[in-house]
């Protein structure tokens, strides 16, 4: 009954007294016994339920003619509640006092909350992400084969996975264990180490020009035969470039030797030929003498050096180091044990000291399936042989397999190759087994995520899956397989083996790590990304756009205010911006849940900044301050998102930090710059009032020439405080250079116009340019009676305040004169 409050023995929300489980109490006639039984009953039950008393309450109360004894605490409390809070009418019925109660509450319907879905290569669709063990995510990523410099193709994978890892860890708050390998035993490493070693030995012998020419011609014959037989267009193009470089160096040397030129002419030409031919010459030397190399240290020295370079590159790119790093050379015993168990489970066989995986036996087991990722690639011998390695596809090696689709788990070492002991004799691990054994050792029988480049799907990742599931006898070694898209240069795949690559160091010489990361963020992690000047220019402009917003917000927040002044009334404009802020945040969350769609996220952030800029500009145009807390909350949110993405390295509260990680340059220097800016503004005001143009010019020199050299930008706004910004010095110098070019072009056009005018017209134009905007209206005393400190009229001749329409019209004339006068000052300053 609405508006009343009751007590009763039980909560009769359902069935009321129909399920009267304590009805036995009413059968007790003796009052003392009833009080004792009632007390026992109430000891373990609630008798304050908040609903109407039942008939049982009323009957029990009538049976007790007096309060229960004090030792019956619960029964006594119940009796008092009934007696003193309800009125006992003569009719014998309880009447309820009119005490208001809370109305019934119902929860809101709510809306559907987006959930994280990832594109899983195992299903080729977006799947709901569900870690196997609560909030913990186990993740393995294929690392580099370290035999050369890391290039932007590697950066495509490692930056993309770094972004994904940071978002899962810092945005979705998963507890991520990230494991990555270093492949330091591989056919490519062995071959490159031997080639480098043999080529160095060749150079140390200091061969004469004739010997170099003869050896290059000998090496060129098998090279050109290989070129003629190559059908892959990308590889053929790469080989043709090498051949063209050799031809370009051959011709001058041959011509010099035919003309019997002096040794000081011939030998430098021979060195050029040697440099241009080093790839085909080193390959020729390896085929002749590679099996004779016994210097085993070269097989560890080369990968150790390039692993160090790789880690330096990742540090420079702000890529987080893995939680666990595994090197093949450190896991050989575990790899041997892994192969032994695969053989014991019936999925591997030994042949001539090597061990191969039996794909037919594995695929024939109902529990297993071979090539889960790319089943249509089964039987692709070209891909399979590339996976086996150049040193492992000779006719004798291929004949050791039961099926062409089988692949090596353990390779018997040949002369000139490093080796380790095993039950099958001296040998070394196959490429695919390395990841299965190392990831299995660290992450166990099943992991949440496995990542790698798109081109690793088959055969590498399919073979990894087969090996691991053969070892663990399961079919769920990897739950989610993530593959990053290719990186191309002008549409061509970037590849080390194709010698079509830009090293990470070269890329960082052109753009910053932040700009590279922004470029990746502006594209889907799973799609192909074309690395080009247009791509990078878009990233540079995005960075500039965001940075200007951050600098403007910092300037707003530097304006002095007291504690209460920070809190300002929200008008319609603030409500609109805040509503948009929440809409953008929700859209960003939806995008991140949708396969971590950073491309959409970056666009939503751009829209939010654009709306914020419009709001700030409208407030300033109205001579009003933007709402500090609102613009600050937007800037902090955007900063935090960029931190999560790894685009901001330091602990700056807003925007891109200035200075090194060891110091917050902005907080250190800004107080001094603020003093300088205020002093300069005071000087400018006096110079305008006293008409001291030289002082105004000096103030402009400080703004345009001196401070940019220190990485400081001053922005003067008419009628408003000067804006201070710390900006990268190189950026400011480029801006200054561009402005200088624009001014020169403008002066040139103006002088040309003046020269074309009659003398009288030209002089009149020049005289008009000389007039300062501060003075142009002061002379018109018949129209205006009051002016502000800049000389802009505020009242008409009769003392009335100017209308908004007239003021707007006069402002345009004022600004046009200001441009003219500035051009005159520049011409004068440059001696024109």
């Amino acid at each position: 009954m609405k508006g009343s409050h009751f007590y009763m023995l039980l909560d009769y929300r359902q069935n009321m007294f129909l399920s009267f489980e304590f009805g036995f109490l009413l059968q007790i006639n003796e009052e003392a016994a009833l009080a004792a039984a009632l007390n026992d009953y109430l000891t373990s039950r609630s008798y304050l339920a908040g609903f109407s008393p039942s008939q049982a309450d009323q009957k029990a109360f009538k049976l007790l003619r007096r309060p229960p004894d004090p030792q019956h605490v619960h029964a006594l409390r119940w009796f008092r509640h009934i007696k003193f809070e309800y009125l006992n009418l003569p009719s014998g019925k309880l009447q309820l006092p009119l005490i208001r109660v809370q109305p019934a509450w119902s929860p809101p319907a709510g809306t559907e909350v987006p959930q994280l879905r990832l594109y899983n290569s195992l299903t080729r669709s977006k799947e709901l992400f569900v870690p196997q063990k609560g909030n913990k995510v186990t993740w393995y990523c294929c690392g580099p084969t370290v035999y050369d410099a890391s290039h932007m193709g590697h950066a495509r994978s490692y930056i993309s996975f770094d972004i994904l890892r940071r978002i899962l860890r810092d945005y979705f708050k998963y507890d991520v264990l990230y494991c990555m390998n270093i492949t330091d035993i591989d056919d490519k490493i062995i071959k490159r180490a031997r080639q480098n070693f043999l080529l160095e030995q060749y150079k140390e012998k200091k061969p004469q020009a004739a010997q170099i020419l003869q050896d290059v011609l000998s090496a060129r014959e098998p090279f050109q035969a290989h070129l003629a037989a190559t059908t892959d267009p990308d590889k053929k193009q790469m080989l043709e470039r090498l051949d063209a470089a050799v031809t370009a160096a051959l011709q001058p040397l041959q011509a010099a030797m035919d003309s019997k030129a002096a040794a000081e002419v011939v030998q430098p030409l021979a060195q050029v030929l040697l440099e241009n031919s080093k790839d085909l010459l080193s390959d020729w030397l390896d085929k002749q003498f590679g099996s004779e190399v016994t210097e085993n240290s070269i097989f560890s020295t080369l990968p150790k050096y390039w692993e160090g370079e790789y880690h330096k590159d990742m540090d420079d790119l702000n890529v987080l180091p893995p939680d666990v790093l595994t090197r093949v050379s450190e896991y050989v015993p575990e790899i041997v044990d892994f192969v032994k168990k695969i053989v014991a489970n019936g999925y591997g066989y030994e042949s001539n000291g090597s061990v191969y995986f039996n794909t037919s036996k594995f695929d024939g087991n109902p529990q297993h399936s071979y090539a889960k990722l790319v089943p249509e690639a089964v039987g692709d011998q070209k891909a399979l042989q590339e996976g086996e390695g150049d040193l492992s596809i000779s006719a004798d090696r291929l004949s050791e397999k039961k099926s062409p689709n089988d692949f090596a788990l353990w390779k018997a070492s040949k002369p000139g190759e490093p080796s380790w002991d095993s039950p099958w004799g001296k040998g070394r691990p196959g490429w695919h087994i390395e990841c299965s054994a190392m990831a299995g050792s660290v992450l166990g029988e099943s992991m949440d995520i496995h990542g790698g480049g798109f081109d690793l799907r088959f055969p590498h990742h399919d073979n990894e899956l087969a090996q691991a599931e053969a070892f663990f006898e399961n079919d769920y070694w990897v739950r989610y397989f993530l593959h990053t898209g290719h990186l191309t240069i002008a549409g061509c795949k970037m590849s080390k083996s194709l010698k079509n690559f830009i090293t990470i160091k070269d890329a960082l010489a052109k753009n910053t790590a932040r700009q590279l990361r922004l470029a990746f963020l502006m594209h889907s992690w799973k799609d192909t990304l074309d690395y080009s000047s247009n791509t990078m220019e878009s990233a540079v402009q995005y960075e500039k756009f965001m940075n200007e917003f951050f600098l403007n917000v910092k300037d707003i927040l530097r304006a002095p205010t007291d504690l209460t002044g920070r809190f300002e009334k929200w008008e319609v404009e603030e409500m609109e911006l805040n509503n948009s802020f929440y809409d953008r945040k929700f859209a960003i969350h939806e995008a991140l849940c949708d396969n971590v769609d950073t491309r959409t996220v970056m666009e939503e952030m751009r829209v939010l900044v654009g709306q914020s800029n419009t709001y700030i500009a409208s407030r300033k145009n109205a001579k009003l301050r933007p709402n500090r807390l609102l613009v600050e909350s937007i800037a902090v949110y955007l900063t935090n998102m960029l931190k999560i993405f790894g685009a901001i390295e330091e602990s700056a509260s807003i925007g891109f930090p200035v200075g090194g990680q060891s110091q917050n340059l902005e907080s250190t220097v800004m107080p001094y710059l603020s003093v300088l800016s205020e002093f300069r503004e005071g000087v400018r005001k006096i110079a305008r009032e006293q008409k001291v143009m030289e002082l105004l010019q000096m103030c402009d020199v400080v703004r345009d020439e001196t401070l940019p050299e220190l990485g400081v930008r001053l922005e003067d706004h008419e009628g408003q405080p000067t804006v201070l910004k710390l900006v990268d010095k190189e950026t400011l110098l480029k801006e200054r250079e561009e402005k200088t070019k624009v001014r020169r072009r403008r002066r040139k056009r103006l002088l040309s116009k003046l020269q074309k005018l009659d003398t009288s017209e030209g002089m009149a134009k020049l005289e008009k340019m000389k007039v300062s905007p501060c003075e142009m209206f002061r002379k018109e005393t018949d129209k205006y009676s009051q002016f502000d400190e800049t000389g802009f009229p505020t009242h008409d001749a009769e003392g009335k305040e100017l209308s908004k329409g007239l003021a707007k019209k006069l402002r345009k004339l004022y600004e046009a004169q200001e441009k003219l006068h500035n051009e005159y000052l520049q011409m004068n300053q440059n001696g024109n």
Side-chain angles (χ1 to χ4, degrees):
M1 180 175 168
K2 188 175 179 181
S4 301
H5 182 67
F6 307 106
Y7 296 92
M8 63 180 183
L9 289 168
L10 281 181
D11 183 351
Y12 276 94
R13 297 181 194 184
Q14 296 179 345
N15 300 326
M16 290 297 286
F17 60 89
L18 297 177
S19 57
F20 185 38
E21 59 183 271
F22 57 94
F24 71 92
L25 294 172
L26 303 181
Q27 307 303 318
I28 302 173
N29 296 320
E30 205 276 313
E31 190 171 353
L34 173 60
L38 180 62
N39 187 74
D40 289 342
Y41 182 82
L42 293 174
T43 299
S44 59
R45 290 165 175 79
S46 169
Y47 47 89
L48 300 178
F51 290 85
S52 301
S54 68
Q55 291 182 13
D57 283 305
Q58 298 177 33
K59 289 177 181 179
F61 185 77
K62 288 178 180 179
L63 289 174
L64 293 173
R65 296 181 181 82
R66 60 185 180 83
D69 292 336
Q71 69 264 29
H72 303 313
V73 177
H74 299 287
L76 182 61
R77 284 185 62 197
W78 170 84
F79 184 87
R80 286 173 175 170
H81 288 317
I82 298 296
K83 180 178 179 181
F84 294 110
E85 298 203 20
Y86 298 132
L87 300 176
N88 198 343
L89 296 181
S91 64
K93 293 183 179 180
L94 296 173
Q95 179 169 324
L96 313 173
L98 298 178
I99 303 174
R100 293 182 63 84
V101 298
Q102 290 179 299
W105 176 85
S106 58
T111 57
E112 186 177 348
V113 179
Q115 293 179 286
L116 174 61
R117 294 180 180 273
L118 296 176
Y119 183 87
N120 188 358
S121 297
L122 287 166
T123 63
R124 300 186 187 179
S125 60
K126 297 174 187 177
E127 304 290 354
L128 182 66
F129 180 62
V130 183
Q132 298 176 98
K133 295 181 181 179
N135 202 47
K136 182 180 180 181
V137 174
T138 52
W139 189 334
Y140 181 82
C141 183
C142 281
T145 301
V146 282
Y147 68 98
D148 206 338
S150 299
H151 57 67
M152 284 300 294
H154 297 127
R156 168 59 168 153
S157 183
Y158 300 124
I159 292 178
S160 296
F161 280 127
D162 186 66
I163 291 169
L164 290 174
R165 176 188 176 189
R166 288 172 182 267
I167 290 172
L168 260 66
R169 185 192 70 175
D170 299 333
Y171 185 83
F172 290 106
K173 305 301 181 183
Y174 287 110
D175 184 6
V176 179
L177 177 65
Y178 193 84
C179 178
M180 190 191 77
N181 78 293
I182 293 289
T183 297
D184 57 356
I185 301 174
D186 182 75
D187 285 37
K188 293 175 182 176
I189 294 173
I190 295 168
K191 188 175 180 180
R192 178 63 63 85
R194 288 194 320 214
Q195 288 177 341
N196 290 351
F197 177 73
L198 293 169
L199 187 61
E200 280 303 310
Q201 280 192 330
Y202 182 85
K203 289 179 178 179
E204 286 173 4
K205 295 177 182 177
K206 297 183 179 178
Q208 294 300 304
Q211 184 66 50
I212 292 173
L213 179 60
Q214 180 183 338
D215 290 339
V216 169
L217 291 173
S218 298
R220 200 181 188 199
E221 289 180 17
F223 173 82
Q224 289 187 321
H226 176 55
L227 171 59
T230 299
T231 56
D232 182 280
D234 289 335
K235 285 189 176 179
K236 196 171 189 70
Q237 187 178 26
M238 179 268 291
L239 295 174
E240 286 173 345
R241 286 199 304 269
L242 290 177
D243 193 53
V246 173
T247 300
L250 262 175
Q251 292 172 346
L253 177 60
Q254 287 176 322
M257 294 186 70
D258 290 344
S259 64
K260 302 198 184 310
E264 56 266 23
V265 175
V266 172
Q267 201 61 29
L269 293 173
Q271 291 302 314
V272 172
L273 176 62
L274 180 58
E275 181 62 27
N276 285 16
S277 309
K278 62 182 180 182
D279 289 311
L280 58 94
L281 188 60
S282 62
D283 191 48
W284 177 70
L285 291 169
D286 184 59
K287 287 175 180 174
Q288 290 187 90
F289 310 111
S291 61
E292 300 174 11
V293 174
T294 58
E295 184 57 56
N296 281 332
S297 64
I298 66 171
F299 301 120
S300 59
T301 302
L302 179 75
K304 185 175 181 180
Y305 172 78
W306 286 116
E307 181 191 338
E309 292 300 299
Y310 164 80
H311 290 309
K312 290 177 186 176
D313 288 340
M314 293 303 103
D315 285 345
D316 291 341
L317 291 172
N318 194 35
V319 170
L320 294 170
D323 297 311
V324 182
L325 185 128
T326 61
R327 298 182 184 88
V328 179
S329 60
E330 297 173 350
Y331 276 79
V332 173
E334 288 85 350
I335 292 170
V336 170
D337 289 341
F338 211 86
V339 174
K340 284 167 64 177
K341 187 174 180 183
I342 291 174
V343 173
N345 288 348
Y347 302 112
Y349 58 90
E350 186 269 342
S351 180
N352 293 336
S354 295
V355 182
Y356 295 94
F357 188 85
N358 192 326
T359 53
S360 298
K361 185 74 177 291
F362 178 80
D363 203 40
N365 187 320
Q367 185 183 350
H368 298 304
S369 179
Y370 178 62
K372 289 181 175 181
L373 292 166
V374 196
E376 63 270 25
V378 173
D380 184 345
Q381 292 305 307
K382 179 184 174 184
L384 286 166
Q385 289 183 21
E386 285 182 356
E388 292 294 80
D390 289 348
L391 303 179
S392 308
I393 56 174
S394 58
D396 59 324
R397 278 286 169 90
L398 295 176
S399 66
E400 295 173 353
K401 301 179 181 182
K402 290 182 179 180
S403 165
N405 293 335
D406 295 348
F407 55 89
L409 299 173
W410 183 263
K411 301 176 181 180
S413 290
K414 298 177 180 179
E417 297 178 1
S419 63
W420 288 261
D421 291 328
S422 80
W424 315 282
K426 292 280 189 179
R428 55 190 177 86
W431 177 34
H432 314 299
I433 195 67
E434 300 169 352
C435 289
S436 298
M438 293 188 294
S441 297
V442 176
L443 303 179
E445 68 173 5
S446 184
M447 70 183 76
D448 294 301
I449 298 175
H450 192 317
F454 183 81
D455 53 351
L456 294 178
R457 295 179 308 151
F458 185 88
H460 185 54
H461 286 158
D462 269 326
N463 287 353
E464 269 190 55
L465 278 168
Q467 294 163 152
E469 293 179 355
F471 178 89
F472 290 109
E473 283 288 14
N474 65 24
D475 64 346
Y476 48 82
W477 188 56
V478 174
R479 296 298 190 175
Y480 298 83
F481 235 124
L482 310 185
H483 289 100
T484 55
H486 287 307
L487 187 134
T488 59
I489 306 177
C492 296
K493 178 189 171 186
M494 188 175 291
S495 167
K496 196 180 293 183
S497 60
L498 296 177
K499 300 190 181 300
N500 175 42
F501 65 92
I502 296 173
T503 67
I504 290 173
K505 285 182 172 58
D506 289 341
L508 287 172
K510 297 178 181 178
N511 295 99
T512 66
R514 179 184 297 130
Q515 289 162 355
L516 291 172
R517 187 170 289 251
L518 290 174
F520 286 21
L521 285 163
M522 292 166 74
H523 294 77
S524 168
W525 62 268
K526 64 176 284 291
D527 296 332
T528 298
L529 168 64
D530 191 51
Y531 177 72
S532 64
S533 57
N534 287 339
T535 298
M536 293 314 305
E537 181 59 26
S538 296
V540 169
Q541 291 304 316
Y542 189 96
E543 179 189 42
K544 183 177 180 181
F545 177 71
M546 298 296 290
N547 193 41
E548 283 301 310
F549 169 69
F550 290 137
L551 293 173
N552 287 330
V553 171
K554 289 178 182 179
D555 180 70
I556 292 169
L557 298 180
R558 277 195 294 270
T561 184
D562 55 25
L563 288 174
T564 57
R566 295 177 302 162
F567 304 99
E568 300 157 296
K569 180 183 177 183
W570 281 28
E571 305 289 354
V572 174
E573 294 85 355
E574 283 77 26
M575 294 298 298
E576 289 178 349
L577 178 59
N578 190 61
N579 289 338
S580 177
F581 181 25
Y582 275 90
D583 289 343
R584 300 284 75 74
K585 284 196 289 186
F586 183 76
I588 286 170
H589 181 67
E590 277 191 316
L592 290 176
C593 287
D594 183 17
N595 195 39
V596 192
D597 179 9
T598 58
R599 180 176 182 175
T600 298
V601 169
M602 299 296 276
E603 187 54 38
E604 291 291 346
M605 289 170 64
R606 187 201 301 271
V607 170
L608 178 57
V609 170
Q611 293 169 336
S612 301
N613 286 340
T614 300
Y615 163 75
I616 292 170
S618 67
R619 297 291 289 178
K620 288 188 174 181
N621 289 339
K623 307 297 183 185
L624 298 171
R625 289 191 312 181
N627 188 287
R628 295 167 61 96
L629 291 181
L630 179 55
V631 296
E632 181 181 21
S633 63
I634 292 172
V636 168
Y637 169 76
L638 292 170
T639 300
N640 288 337
M641 293 306 298
L642 290 169
K643 284 181 182 177
I644 288 171
F645 299 156
I648 294 179
E649 303 88 351
E650 297 91 347
S651 57
S653 57
I654 290 180
F656 304 127
V658 183
Q661 295 187 14
S662 60
Q663 58 175 341
N664 189 334
L665 181 63
E666 189 163 10
S667 63
T668 303
V669 304
M670 196 54 74
Y672 303 99
L673 291 174
S674 297
V675 171
L676 171 64
S677 176
E678 291 170 6
F679 175 76
R680 174 179 170 274
E681 188 60 32
V683 171
R684 291 178 75 223
K685 182 179 180 181
I686 295 172
R688 283 199 187 102
E689 293 171 351
Q690 302 296 326
K691 304 175 187 177
V692 185
M693 302 310 297
E694 292 82 0
L695 271 181
L696 286 174
Q697 289 179 18
M698 289 175 67
C699 289
D700 288 348
V701 168
V702 170
R703 179 193 63 201
D704 300 333
E705 304 295 332
T706 307
L707 290 179
E709 294 283 351
L710 302 174
V712 180
R713 181 196 290 157
L714 283 184
E715 296 178 359
D716 292 323
H717 298 280
E718 197 63 48
Q720 296 180 13
T722 299
V723 175
L724 262 174
K725 297 178 180 178
L726 287 186
V727 184
D728 177 65
K729 175 183 173 181
E730 295 303 318
T731 301
L732 288 180
L733 294 183
K734 287 179 182 177
E735 287 179 0
R736 187 176 72 183
E737 183 180 354
E738 187 59 34
K739 288 179 181 177
T740 301
K741 289 179 181 178
V742 171
R743 284 198 297 267
R744 285 172 181 167
R745 288 195 296 267
R746 193 177 294 159
R747 287 200 302 273
K748 188 175 181 180
R749 287 196 300 269
L750 180 61
L751 287 171
S752 177
K753 287 180 182 179
L754 289 174
Q755 289 170 357
K756 290 177 182 178
L757 294 172
D758 293 338
T759 304
S760 58
E761 288 180 297
M763 290 301 296
K765 178 80 172 179
L766 191 60
E767 288 301 317
K768 183 179 180 181
M769 293 176 68
K770 289 181 180 180
V771 177
S772 167
C774 300
E775 298 299 321
M776 64 180 296
F777 292 115
R778 290 186 187 275
K779 298 176 181 178
E780 301 178 2
T781 53
D782 58 326
K783 296 180 180 179
Y784 314 111
S785 60
Q786 294 183 43
F787 308 86
D788 64 14
E789 72 270 9
T790 67
F792 189 80
T794 57
H795 295 72
D796 63 16
E798 298 177 0
K800 295 179 180 179
E801 188 174 352
L802 299 183
S803 67
K804 290 184 178 179
L806 179 58
K808 186 175 181 181
K809 182 179 178 181
L810 295 178
R811 176 63 65 185
K812 289 183 178 179
L813 294 173
Y814 184 95
E815 290 174 351
Q817 183 61 28
E818 189 174 36
K819 287 182 180 178
L820 271 178
H821 186 61
N822 286 338
E823 287 175 1
Y824 168 76
L825 294 177
Q826 289 292 332
M827 289 166 56
N828 206 35
Q829 186 176 337
N830 288 278
N832 291 320

